[in-house]
Amino acid sequence: MNILHLKYAVEVAKTRSISKAAENLYMAQPNLSKAIRELEENLGFTVFERTSRGVVPTRRGVEFLKLARGVLLQVEQM
């Protein structure tokens, strides 16, 4: 896991869409999907539930995203 993974996850949560998040991050959707899958594998739990209407954070995902936002804020402040 690295800072980019945190940034990607926060953007996906904000947009509730991997496609829209990829567009906002100026990257291809398959690459973002792969990065999110790698993040979830490294964490050992699912951050997002995929639905026909987009993605929704799981209960553990919500907690992870709170921490990720905090880390990103700290990095920005540095």
Side-chain angles (χ1 to χ4, degrees):
M1 175 180 14
N2 61 45
I3 297 298
L4 280 178
H5 284 112
L6 301 180
K7 182 178 177 181
Y8 296 164
V10 167
E11 186 64 27
V12 169
K14 184 173 89 174
T15 62
R16 301 222 181 240
S17 165
I18 292 177
S19 299
K20 181 64 178 164
E23 185 180 313
N24 291 350
L25 294 164
Y26 304 103
M27 63 188 302
Q29 182 270 330
N31 293 339
L32 180 55
S33 290
K34 182 180 177 188
I36 295 296
R37 274 194 312 275
E38 288 172 357
L39 172 65
E40 291 175 331
E41 288 173 11
N42 288 334
L43 291 172
F45 62 87
T46 304
V47 177
F48 297 103
E49 180 182 333
R50 280 82 169 161
T51 71
S52 60
R53 294 184 175 181
V55 295
V56 178
T58 62
R59 188 175 348 157
R60 289 185 81 181
V62 169
E63 293 301 316
F64 168 77
L65 290 163
K66 284 181 192 175
L67 295 172
R69 286 183 191 99
V71 169
L72 291 172
L73 182 61
Q74 290 178 348
V75 168
E76 186 179 309
Q77 290 174 345
M78 290 181 4

